[in-house]
Amino acid sequence: MAQRQRINLKVNGVEYEGEVEPRKLLVDFLREDLELLGTHVGCEHGVCGACTILLNGKAVRSCLMLAVQADGAELTTIEGLAQGAQLHPIQEAFHEHHGLQCGFCTPGMLLTSHEFLQENPSPTREEAKKAISGVLCRCTGYKQVIDSVMAAAETMKNE
Amino acid sequence: MPDPEARRWVGKRYKRKEDLRLLIGEGKFVDDIQLPKMKHAAIIRSPYPHALIKNIDTTQAEKLPGVRGILTGQDVKEMSKPFPCGVPIPPKYYSCAVDKVRYVGEPVAVVVADSRYIAEDALDLIQVDYEPLPVVMDIEEAAEPDAPVLHDNIGSNIYSHRLMQYGEPAKAFEEADLLVKGKFLFPKYGSTPIETYAVVASYNPVNQEFVIYNNYQGPFVNHSLVALALGIPENKMRWIVPTDIGGGFGTKTGVFPYIALIALASKKTGMTVKWIEDRREHLLASATGTDRVTYMEAAVKRDGTILALKDKAMDNTGGYIRAPEPGCAYRSTGNHTGAYQIRHLDREVMVVGTNKCLTSPNRGYTCQELYFSVERLVDMVAAQLGMDPAEIRFKNFIQPDQFPYTTATGGIYDAGNYQKAFQKALDIVDYPKWRQEQEKARQQGRYIGIGIATIVDPSVTNIAYVTTALTPEQRAKGHPKSGSGESMTIKMDPLGQVHVIACTNPQGQGHETVISQIVADELGIDPDGITVSNVVDTHDRVYTITTGSYSSRFASVGTNALVNATRKLKDKLFKIAAHLLEVSPDELVLENQKFHVKDQPEKSIAVRHVAGTAHWHQTALPEGMDVGLFASSLITMPTSKPPDELDRVDSSNTYGFCCEVIVVEIDPETCEIKFHKWASMHDSGTVLNPMILEGQVMGSITHGLGGALYEEFAYDENGQCLTASFQDYLCPTSMEVPDIDIGHVETPSPFTALGSKGAGEASCESVPVAVANAIADALAPLGVVINELPLTPSKIWHLIKEAKAKQA
Ligand code: FES
Ligand code: FES
C-alpha cells in the first residue's frame, strides 16, 4: 500500500488534520474519514454532480479530486449550510418549492446553486436553469428545482 | 367518503417532512450504514455477452493483503438455488454466473476486502478463462429456431408464449371497413436512479440468520423468492431498508439478486459485507425496461370506430428472466385497450431472451411499450380516414356514464371523464389555432407537428396478473394468486401524540408528509405534530406480500389502509371517551381535540386525557377492551381477484387518465426539436398534495421525454454495451425539459377512501408516444414513418433523408 500522506484542511469551519492514502478520492475521504455522509456519489465519473461541494467557495466534483489535492483548502459540504436549526435560504427555498424528492442529487443541487447565486444574485430563470444543468436529477424533472433557485435568489437579495 | 369541504389538510400544498433531514445531509441511505468490522465487496463481471467459463483462478487475488475472501459462481451454485420465476420452464438464474455468462457485466465472482480500493485491486488479479459463444441480440432473431440458445434446459430462447382472445376478433375483422397495421419498435431504456444499488449483509453462523440492509423497493414477493433461493426459512432473513432510497422507479426491484449474492459473500467470508454498485456496473448490468417489437393491426369502421385489435408483442428480458417478469408482457392486460371502447382482441404475447442486460419494471411498467403501438396506430388510423387525431379519440373514448367500466380484458376502470380532461388539454394548447399555424408553416416549408396521446394509467398491481403467463389449464393446476394488500399502523402515545408506522418504502414520493395530512384530517389534529416512521424491516414491520412502493400503490391501497387504521383508532377513542362521560359514542362530537356531548360543550374530555386513560388507567376502560391505543389495517383492493378462465383480469385496481398535447417544430437542417406548447392533463382522482403531485408529474414527464428523445441502452452487433457511462447514456438535464402546462381533473375513485389513485407513472406512459406522434405529424408531408424511439436528431435526419429519396 502506498505511503499515507499528511493533509490539513478546514471542512464546514472545522480544522482537520490527518493522513490519507494518496489515491483516496476526496468524496471517499469526506464520507469515510470525516463521516460527512451528506455528500453523495452518483456516478464517480464526474457527470452527475451529486458529489458537488465547495472548495474555497468554488463548486467542485469531489469524485474527480483526490483528498490530497484538497490539502490546505476550505471546504463546505451540505452539512455546512444550515446554522444550527436555521436553514440556509437556499435550503428554505428547496423546502418551500419542493426542489427535492429522493434527496440524492440534493447536495449537488444546493451547493451548485450556492456558488451560482454568489456569482449571479439576480438571475433570470433561463440562467438558473443553465446553472443547475450539470447536476442530474432523476426525480424532479427540474422545474421545482429551478423554482427553488429563483426563490432563494429573491430572499437572499432582500437579506 | 368524508365531505371534501371538511378536509383541512388533504389537497393542500403542505411542505414535506422528509426535507428536514435530506436538506441538511442527514438522510439515511444504505451507503450511510457503517457497521463494526464491515468489509467491502467488488464484483468481477463478464466482458463477454455469451461465453463458457472455463476456469477462474483466484490465487493471486487471495494473496493480496487486505483480501478477506472470494466468492465464485461455483460457491454460489453450491450454497444456493436458482431463483423461482413464474414461467413454465425458468432458466437457472443464480445471483452469479455459473459455468456460462449470458450478458456483458454478469457477475462472475465477488471479492471481499478491507476497503473498496483493495477489493478493486484484487479484481485485476483474478484470471477468468472464457470460451466465447455466438450471440443473439435481436428480439425476432432470438425467437427463430436456429438462434444460438442461451439456456439448454429451456431449449429455445422463448421464456413465455401465449395466445389470448377476447370477444370475437375474427368477426370484428370481417366487419371492418378498413384495416390499419404497423410494426413498432420500443427501445431498451431505464430510469437510472442517481443512487445505485446498495447492500450490506451479515450472516450469523450460530443462529444462521442473515441481516441485510438494502435499497429494494419493498419486501414485495422478492423477500420470499430470495429466501427460497438461499434455501433458508424466510424469517431467518431480515431485510432492512433505511428511511431513504435515492430514487427507485422500478429499477430498484432489480437489486434482489445482489441481496442474495452479498449475503452469500458474507456467509462464505464470515464478514459483514458492504457492496455499493458503481455507475458503470449499474448501466451495464442492473436492470432496464423491456425492449419490445409489436405488430399491431386495427379493424376500423369508416366513421372511425375501432372495433378490434390484433397484435403480437415480443418482449426481451435479456440473458435470463427473473421476477416480476414475465410481468412485462402481462402487466397491462386489464388496460390493453387504453381509453377506448374496443371489445375484441386477438393477442399473441412472447417473452424472449437475448444477450443483453436483464430487465425490471421501469416507471410505467410496459404501458409505454403498449401505448407506443396503440396510440401510434390510432394516429395512423386517423390519417388513413382523413380524420383529425383528436376527433378519432373522442369517437372511441369510454363515456363518463359507463364507469365503473369493465374492459374486454377484465380491467375494472373505477372512474374518469376522459372527454373533459382531453378537452381541457386541447383548450390549453389552443388546438385549432395550432392546426392553422401548422397549415401556414407547411406552406413556408416549416415542420410543425401536434402530438397527442390519451392513455389510461393503471395503479396498484394485482399480483394475480402474473399468472396470466400460464394457460387457464396450467393455472388450474397451480397455486392461485391474487391481491394488492398494504399495511398501516397508527398509535397514540400516553400524552396523546400520534405516530404512524408504515412500510411503504418510498423513494422520494413524500409518504411521511401525505400520511400526516391524511391523519390530521381524520383526527382533526395538526399534521406538524404527527410523526411517521416509514422503513422496511421484515422482522419489525407487519406487511403483506405486495407491500412496497411500485405500481403507484400508495395513493390507492396505501391511503385505504391508512384511513382504515385511523378510523379504527378513532372509533376506540370515541368508545373510551363515551365510557368515561357515561354516554353512548354516537352522542359525542370530536372538536378541537376534545370530545364533548352534542349540544353540551361543557360535558367534555380532552383527547389527551382519553389517551392517558387508555395507557395509565387501564381498569377505567370499557370492559373487554384491549389496553393502549393502536390500530392496524392490512387490506387489499376489492377487485383484486385471480384471472378468470377467459384470461380476463383486473391487473391493476385503480386507473387514472392522462393525456398529452404537444406542439413541436423540427428544424429540417439540424433536426433539432423545439417545443412550442405542451399540455399534460391528468385525472388521478382526489389530489392529496398538489405540490408533491406536480413533482411526480414533472418527474414522470421527464422520464418519458428521455425515452422519446435520448435514452437507450445501445449494443453493438457483438453484444458489447455502448452506454456504460453517463457520458454515453444520456439522461435529460434541466436544459432539455421545456415549459409544460400541467393540469388536473379530479374524478374521485369509488374504490378508495379518499378518492385518490396513483399518479406518478402516467406521463412515462404517454410522453414517448405523444412526442413520436408530434414528430410524425410534423414530418407527415415528407411521408416519414415513425415507428421507433429514441428519436435522436441523427435518426430523424436519416428518416428525412430516406423519405426525400423515396419521394424523388
Ligand atoms: S459522483 Fe461525482 S459527478 Fe457523479
Ligand atoms: S431528487 Fe432524486 S435525484 Fe434529484
Side-chain angles (χ1 to χ4, degrees), chain B residues 403-447:
Chain B
F403 293 96
Y405 177 86
T406 304
T407 65
T409 45
I412 304 171
Y413 291 179
D414 47 327
N417 187 335
Y418 303 167
Q419 290 74 357
K420 184 172 159 194
F422 184 36
Q423 190 57 55
K424 223 172 141 181
L426 293 170
D427 292 347
I428 288 176
V429 165
D430 199 348
Y431 185 68
K433 182 196 107 181
W434 278 103
R435 282 288 172 214
Q436 286 167 11
E437 290 289 328
Q438 181 180 42
E439 230 9 82
K440 273 191 250 157
R442 280 184 179 165
Q443 282 156 19
Q444 300 158 0
R446 284 165 54 216
Y447 297 94

Side-chain angles (χ1 to χ4, degrees), chain B residues 460-471:
Chain B
V460 191
T461 288
N462 165 12
I463 47 167
Y465 83 80
V466 181
T467 62
T468 48
L470 305 174
T471 62

Side-chain angles (χ1 to χ4, degrees), chain B residues 414 554-556 559 654 684-688 748-749 752-758:
Chain B
D414 47 327
F554 174 78
S556 301
T559 58
T654 46
S684 47
T686 308
V687 173
L688 298 171
S749 172
T752 62
L754 303 171
S756 54
K757 50 190 164 182

Side-chain angles (χ1 to χ4, degrees), chain B residues 563-621:
Chain B
V563 169
N564 204 28
T566 310
R567 289 182 188 168
K568 280 192 203 174
L569 180 81
K570 192 170 165 182
D571 187 57
K572 186 167 182 180
L573 286 167
F574 264 90
K575 283 193 180 129
I576 301 170
H579 183 70
L580 297 174
L581 292 171
E582 298 177 338
V583 292
S584 90
D586 49 20
E587 288 172 72
L588 288 182
V589 182
L590 172 60
E591 234 168 25
N592 301 327
Q593 308 201 42
K594 263 188 190 166
F595 290 98
H596 68 80
V597 179
K598 267 177 215 154
D599 306 324
Q600 291 181 57
E602 69 292 348
K603 199 166 176 193
S604 70
I605 182 167
V607 170
R608 88 192 144 84
H609 287 141
V610 178
T613 306
H615 291 281
W616 264 320
H617 188 23
Q618 300 170 359
T619 48
L621 294 176

Side-chain angles (χ1 to χ4, degrees), chain B residues 483-660:
Chain B
S484 54
E486 192 49 88
S487 125
M488 289 279 176
T489 295
I490 181 166
K491 58 181 190 167
M492 191 174 270
D493 64 32
L495 299 179
Q497 300 303 314
V498 174
H499 181 71
V500 178
I501 303 168
C503 192
T504 60
N505 194 9
Q507 309 105 35
Q509 298 92 330
H511 293 180
E512 289 167 44
T513 304
V514 179
I515 286 172
S516 304
Q517 291 175 264
I518 294 172
V519 170
D521 272 353
E522 289 291 324
L523 297 179
I525 56 179
D526 188 332
D528 290 351
I530 298 168
T531 49
V532 181
S533 139
N534 196 351
V535 300
V536 168
D537 182 330
T538 54
H539 275 185
D540 286 357
R541 301 275 144 147
V542 175
Y543 60 94
T544 81
I545 188 87
T546 46
T547 286
S549 273
Y550 58 92
S551 83
S552 301
R553 296 161 41 78
F554 174 78
S556 301
V557 73
T559 58
N560 275 5
L562 179 67
V563 169
N564 204 28
T566 310
R567 289 182 188 168
K568 280 192 203 174
L569 180 81
K570 192 170 165 182
D571 187 57
K572 186 167 182 180
L573 286 167
F574 264 90
K575 283 193 180 129
I576 301 170
H579 183 70
L580 297 174
L581 292 171
E582 298 177 338
V583 292
S584 90
D586 49 20
E587 288 172 72
L588 288 182
V589 182
L590 172 60
E591 234 168 25
N592 301 327
Q593 308 201 42
K594 263 188 190 166
F595 290 98
H596 68 80
V597 179
K598 267 177 215 154
D599 306 324
Q600 291 181 57
E602 69 292 348
K603 199 166 176 193
S604 70
I605 182 167
V607 170
R608 88 192 144 84
H609 287 141
V610 178
T613 306
H615 291 281
W616 264 320
H617 188 23
Q618 300 170 359
T619 48
L621 294 176
E623 211 175 302
M625 183 182 266
D626 282 353
V627 300
L629 274 174
F630 101 106
S632 284
S633 172
L634 285 98
I635 48 170
T636 184
M637 298 291 287
T639 53
S640 238
K641 308 236 167 76
D644 67 11
E645 61 295 345
L646 298 174
D647 290 316
R648 290 177 300 201
V649 64
D650 189 31
S651 44
S652 300
N653 298 145
T654 46
Y655 298 84
F657 176 78
C658 157
C659 62
E660 315 288 337

Side-chain angles (χ1 to χ4, degrees), chain A residues 98-116:
Chain A
H98 194 29
L100 66 156
Q101 290 181 25
C102 77
F104 208 78
C105 70
T106 308
M109 288 293 183
L110 293 177
L111 293 153
T112 302
S113 313
H114 191 283
E115 181 199 43
F116 170 64

Side-chain angles (χ1 to χ4, degrees), chain B residues 222-535:
Chain B
N222 285 95
H223 186 264
S224 310
L225 299 186
V226 171
L228 288 169
L230 293 176
I232 53 167
E234 195 167 347
N235 60 0
K236 290 281 186 180
M237 182 180 67
R238 179 178 184 185
W239 281 13
I240 302 173
V241 181
T243 46
D244 299 299
I245 299 184
F249 318 119
T251 310
K252 289 259 168 75
T253 61
V255 76
F256 80 87
Y258 293 101
I259 293 176
L261 184 65
I262 302 305
L264 293 175
S266 168
K267 188 172 177 183
K268 179 167 180 203
T269 60
M271 304 283 155
T272 291
V273 181
K274 181 188 239 185
W275 171 70
I276 306 296
E277 183 189 52
D278 71 23
R279 181 55 58 186
R280 184 168 174 277
E281 293 181 285
H282 186 84
L283 294 170
L284 277 180
S286 59
T288 73
T290 319
D291 43 333
R292 176 182 287 182
V293 176
T294 308
Y295 292 89
M296 188 175 267
E297 186 169 14
V300 191
K301 285 301 230 188
R302 212 169 302 285
D303 69 355
T305 307
I306 303 169
L307 299 173
L309 292 177
K310 188 195 294 186
D311 60 68
K312 176 178 180 179
M314 300 172 79
D315 281 0
N316 170 23
T317 61
Y320 299 82
I321 186 166
R322 61 182 180 191
E325 313 292 29
C328 50
Y330 303 96
R331 187 260 171 168
S332 56
T333 299
N335 55 292
H336 198 76
T337 47
Y340 313 117
Q341 306 187 47
I342 303 174
R343 302 306 309 176
H344 310 285
L345 272 175
D346 189 333
R347 292 182 69 195
E348 179 174 358
V349 170
M350 202 183 264
V351 182
V352 304
T354 64
N355 294 111
K356 289 190 183 178
C357 170
L358 311 191
T359 58
S360 70
N362 178 49
R363 198 170 189 177
Y365 198 11
T366 61
C367 286
Q368 50 272 61
E369 283 86 339
L370 169 70
Y371 296 132
F372 184 63
S373 41
V374 173
E375 291 294 292
R376 268 290 32 240
L377 192 63
V378 168
D379 266 24
M380 288 159 66
V381 169
Q384 290 225 9
L385 289 171
M387 231 172 140
D388 185 280
E391 189 191 337
I392 194 166
R393 288 174 166 86
F394 279 118
K395 175 92 201 160
N396 288 283
F397 275 156
I398 294 159
Q399 299 299 310
D401 60 3
Q402 287 179 296
F403 293 96
Y405 177 86
T406 304
T407 65
T409 45
I412 304 171
Y413 291 179
D414 47 327
N417 187 335
Y418 303 167
Q419 290 74 357
K420 184 172 159 194
F422 184 36
Q423 190 57 55
K424 223 172 141 181
L426 293 170
D427 292 347
I428 288 176
V429 165
D430 199 348
Y431 185 68
K433 182 196 107 181
W434 278 103
R435 282 288 172 214
Q436 286 167 11
E437 290 289 328
Q438 181 180 42
E439 230 9 82
K440 273 191 250 157
R442 280 184 179 165
Q443 282 156 19
Q444 300 158 0
R446 284 165 54 216
Y447 297 94
I448 285 182
I450 307 173
I452 292 172
T454 53
I455 63 109
V456 169
D457 168 37
S459 48
V460 191
T461 288
N462 165 12
I463 47 167
Y465 83 80
V466 181
T467 62
T468 48
L470 305 174
T471 62
E473 298 73 41
Q474 288 169 329
R475 278 202 300 272
K477 287 187 212 129
H479 300 291
K481 290 187 178 66
S482 66
S484 54
E486 192 49 88
S487 125
M488 289 279 176
T489 295
I490 181 166
K491 58 181 190 167
M492 191 174 270
D493 64 32
L495 299 179
Q497 300 303 314
V498 174
H499 181 71
V500 178
I501 303 168
C503 192
T504 60
N505 194 9
Q507 309 105 35
Q509 298 92 330
H511 293 180
E512 289 167 44
T513 304
V514 179
I515 286 172
S516 304
Q517 291 175 264
I518 294 172
V519 170
D521 272 353
E522 289 291 324
L523 297 179
I525 56 179
D526 188 332
D528 290 351
I530 298 168
T531 49
V532 181
S533 139
N534 196 351
V535 300

Side-chain angles (χ1 to χ4, degrees), chain B residues 101-134:
Chain B
V101 290
R102 294 177 176 87
Y103 62 96
V104 169
E106 183 170 359
V108 170
V110 183
V111 176
V112 175
D114 289 350
S115 75
R116 173 74 183 231
Y117 289 76
I118 298 171
E120 287 184 14
D121 290 343
L123 296 186
D124 295 338
L125 302 174
I126 297 177
Q127 275 293 330
V128 188
D129 296 333
Y130 296 97
E131 183 184 313
L133 295 169

